[in-house]
Amino acid sequence: MYDIVIFGGTGDLSLRKLLPSLYHLVKKSKVPEEYRILCISRAPLDRVDFLLRVKEKLECFLGDDFNYTDWKRFKTILSYIDIEFLENEGWDKLNNFIYSEDHRGKQNIIYYLSVAPALFTPICRQLKKNNLTPKNSRMIVEKPFGENFKSAYKINSVLSDCFSEKQIYRIDHYLAKEAVQNILHLRFSNHLIETVWNNQHIDQVEIMVSEQIGVEGRAEFFDHIGTLRDMVQNHLMQLLTYITMEVPKSLSADHIRDRKIEVIKALEPINRDNISSHSIRAQYLAGEVNGKPVPSYKEDLKSVCDNIKGTGETFVALKINIDNSRWRGVPFILKTGKRMEKRLAEIRVKFNPPSNNLYGTDFGNLLVIEIQPKHTVSIQMMMKQLFGVDEALATHTNQMEIGNNEAFLYRIAGDYEKLLSEVINGNQAFFVRDDEIMASWKWIDAIRNAWTTTDQEMKTYISGSNGPNFDK
Ligand code: BG6
């Protein structure tokens, strides 16, 4: 039996991602009755209004996957209660639900904090105070997990006061992406790759996540947080650790996470001494994306409110060195930005030229892992220009795509659906451990600190471009 309790149950994330994911999970389950889903928000809503709201959103977000037969079953396991999270009263409603006659608290309880980070602490404290954190409960925490080392430390302290680390699941939805999980398979099940995966053979690695969207409805939040904290501290850091970690002893959650944290601890600091050569921060100007004119970042902010400072970066590039024997000397270029030319997440691993480079080719070999929109791995090889009469000796590049990118015969589970099912299975491998979060914040804080104390230039780039580059 599983009780899934969503704090912020009528909020955007819940209606757009969590409930549609649970709809699919329950639909796949042979025994849907083994689930109870409780949404909790602050607004008093009667059951009819709550169900109407959920149904309307499921129809919208599930599209053709929504049908009335499944909805009829799904709604029987849905409940709603309102609690004012900052008040002491009202928690008995949750207590009654969890410890009701027919369940008596024997089921696994999965809490999901889909609320503003300021509410993490009061909610956890109330759960503990009301005896709602038994050993068979798990807590899922949504990002942003703090906004610097200090705030993340506070959240971690409260969480660890209420739950053991084995009960805590910190979400980074990049870890649910098929092509991200595939990095481990690719690295650790191919001798061909394993043997060349180091600074003897690799010249440079580029990790790029570009988006076409701008700050959309999140102008105020975004301007405060900026891309470094919104994307690099979490998603790009996950990609970097997957690409560079040592082979874990096993696939157990802790063995994998031990290896990831070693990498973060080996990152050379980017600080006042090297900030201008190792980082770029920038904001988008007006331009065109997909053939459509789009306003600048500053205009996007103004359309929401005149008082937003406009100091958040929408693009970051970092040049990273990893100080360990496998990677010393290999630059890792991380780049991410909004309103860029394409929506693309990929990792490009460039191999050294051959030692006796008879054909004079450079960077002939590339391994490209595309994470989205496609989920492919491709290898670039230099080959003879076949049948080239005048170019008997010419080589040219050939890119070979491996991996199935054809239309799938089955529905691909979404990121949140996969993560929720890992929580149900009790597998923490695709969730972020406390020490990892703390180590990455420490490293990121130094960059922010250097940006401010050295008054690092905020560059600009035209929307629809690829953003600024490091000088050669
Ligand atoms: C979120 C960020 O975590 O990830 C957003 O807050 C960003 O700003 C999003 O747009 C990108 O996720 P994806 O899966 O679309 O690459």
Side-chain angles (χ1 to χ4, degrees):
M1 289 288 308
Y2 296 95
D3 278 349
I4 300 171
V5 178
I6 307 174
F7 292 96
T10 51
D12 181 58
L13 178 73
S14 172
L15 295 172
R16 201 160 39 90
K17 298 279 187 190
L18 307 181
L19 290 170
S21 301
L22 288 166
Y23 176 95
H24 280 302
L25 284 176
V26 170
K27 187 171 159 180
K28 277 192 283 192
S29 160
K30 294 207 175 66
V31 252
E33 307 74 40
E34 68 171 18
Y35 291 97
R36 293 195 305 170
I37 299 170
L38 174 67
C39 290
I40 311 182
S41 290
R42 289 190 255 197
L45 268 183
D46 65 27
R47 181 169 172 80
V48 176
D49 286 343
F50 164 68
L51 289 179
L52 259 178
R53 194 180 290 192
V54 174
K55 177 169 163 273
E56 189 190 312
K57 294 293 177 183
L58 287 180
E59 278 176 315
C60 162
F61 293 120
L62 288 168
D64 289 347
D65 286 334
F66 180 89
N67 72 61
Y68 287 94
T69 320
D70 292 326
W71 164 245
K72 260 191 184 164
R73 288 163 77 205
F74 189 62
K75 74 177 182 186
T76 59
I77 58 164
L78 277 182
S79 307
Y80 178 82
I81 56 174
D82 61 295
I83 298 182
E84 188 51 69
F85 301 133
L86 296 173
E87 307 277 325
N88 280 324
E89 289 77 49
W91 294 87
D92 52 328
K93 293 186 226 170
L94 177 55
N95 229 300
N96 292 342
F97 177 86
I98 299 280
Y99 297 109
S100 61
E101 256 314 282
D102 44 346
H103 286 84
R104 294 193 187 83
K106 294 226 168 54
Q107 68 283 33
N108 292 299
I109 307 163
I110 297 175
Y111 295 115
Y112 200 120
L113 285 180
S114 171
V115 290
L119 294 170
F120 291 179
T121 300
I123 291 176
C124 287
R125 292 242 155 88
Q126 287 294 350
L127 290 178
K128 187 173 176 192
K129 196 167 138 195
N130 288 280
N131 298 322
L132 287 164
T133 56
K135 283 208 174 69
N136 55 348
S137 59
R138 294 173 197 161
M139 172 54 92
I140 310 178
V141 191
E142 187 50 55
K143 123 180 211 294
F145 198 87
E147 50 181 57
N148 50 30
F149 181 89
K150 208 168 146 196
S151 52
Y153 181 84
K154 270 194 194 152
I155 299 175
N156 265 342
S157 312
V158 175
L159 279 174
S160 64
D161 188 36
C162 306
F163 299 93
S164 74
E165 187 57 30
K166 289 266 170 261
Q167 293 173 280
I168 304 171
Y169 293 74
R170 296 176 194 78
I171 292 244
D172 185 313
H173 77 278
Y174 265 57
L175 291 180
K177 291 188 189 285
E178 277 296 290
V180 174
Q181 296 185 355
N182 187 39
I183 296 173
L184 300 189
H185 291 256
L186 188 71
R187 284 196 54 201
F188 301 133
S189 52
N190 289 298
H191 185 68
L192 189 68
I193 297 220
E194 190 187 24
T195 46
V196 293
W197 212 250
N198 56 50
N199 52 10
Q200 299 301 303
H201 302 281
I202 292 179
D203 176 80
Q204 177 179 311
V205 179
E206 259 181 53
I207 301 181
M208 158 80 128
V209 178
S210 63
E211 298 182 273
Q212 291 185 313
I213 54 166
V215 292
E216 313 303 307
R218 302 193 303 161
E220 207 160 349
F221 161 82
F222 201 86
D223 196 52
H224 172 63
I225 289 293
T227 294
L228 181 69
R229 297 193 277 182
D230 184 49
M231 294 292 291
V232 182
Q233 182 271 333
N234 35 68
H235 308 325
L236 276 89
M237 198 62 99
Q238 294 303 333
L239 301 181
L240 178 68
T241 54
Y242 266 34
I243 281 291
T244 56
M245 69 183 182
E246 295 299 318
V247 189
K249 243 202 265 170
S250 77
L251 291 174
S252 82
D254 276 335
H255 285 158
I256 293 178
R257 300 189 300 179
D258 287 346
R259 290 309 200 191
K260 284 164 70 190
I261 191 168
E262 283 168 9
V263 173
I264 304 176
K265 288 190 168 160
L267 297 179
E268 277 184 5
I270 298 181
N271 53 27
R272 289 175 63 91
D273 300 335
N274 56 1
I275 190 78
S276 52
S277 54
H278 285 62
S279 80
I280 301 175
R281 58 172 175 165
Q283 290 176 343
Y284 58 79
L285 300 172
E288 261 190 23
V289 175
N290 272 343
K292 285 199 190 118
V294 287
S296 70
Y297 176 60
K298 294 268 164 71
E299 285 160 336
D300 273 346
L301 297 188
K302 251 202 201 140
S303 68
V304 179
C305 159
D306 268 337
N307 295 334
I308 309 179
K309 285 195 250 159
T311 49
E313 71 285 347
T314 61
F315 173 96
V316 173
L318 299 176
K319 201 184 281 179
I320 297 178
N321 297 314
I322 301 177
D323 189 15
N324 64 20
S325 55
R326 186 188 284 269
W327 295 116
R328 197 165 294 119
V330 178
F332 286 81
I333 311 291
L334 264 58
K335 266 193 195 174
T336 179
K338 298 221 180 293
R339 282 274 164 75
M340 298 186 58
E341 187 195 355
K342 305 185 219 170
R343 175 171 185 260
L344 177 69
E346 69 171 18
I347 300 171
R348 299 174 78 80
V349 181
K350 286 185 180 176
F351 289 88
N352 288 334
S355 48
N356 186 4
N357 194 354
L358 294 177
Y359 293 98
T361 54
D362 197 7
F363 295 134
N365 297 143
L366 266 185
L367 181 86
V368 183
I369 302 169
E370 183 167 329
I371 291 157
Q372 59 193 27
K374 296 198 285 178
H375 321 83
T376 51
V377 174
S378 39
I379 293 182
Q380 179 178 291
M381 293 276 191
M382 299 308 293
M383 310 267 281
K384 182 179 187 304
Q385 179 80 57
L386 293 183
F387 310 114
V389 179
D390 298 330
E391 302 159 300
L393 289 177
T395 55
H396 76 142
T397 54
N398 261 272
Q399 198 136 338
M400 185 171 72
E401 208 168 79
I402 318 165
N404 184 0
N405 205 49
E406 300 304 314
F408 292 90
L409 292 175
Y410 44 88
R411 187 185 64 82
I412 303 173
D415 297 346
Y416 280 89
E417 184 179 337
K418 279 162 69 187
L419 289 175
L420 281 163
S421 80
E422 296 295 353
V423 180
I424 290 169
N425 295 332
N427 177 17
Q428 289 184 304
F430 302 116
F431 298 85
V432 189
R433 208 168 60 190
D434 53 351
D435 48 354
E436 188 184 337
I437 288 264
M438 297 321 301
S440 68
W441 272 124
K442 198 169 176 189
W443 190 79
I444 291 288
D445 280 359
I447 301 177
R448 285 188 51 237
N449 189 34
W451 276 349
T452 0
T453 54
T454 60
D455 210 6
Q456 187 69 18
E457 179 194 0
M458 178 72 79
K459 297 196 172 171
T460 51
Y461 59 101
I462 311 253
S463 283
S465 70
N466 284 323
N469 281 318
F470 284 109
D471 298 332
K472 288 272 173 214

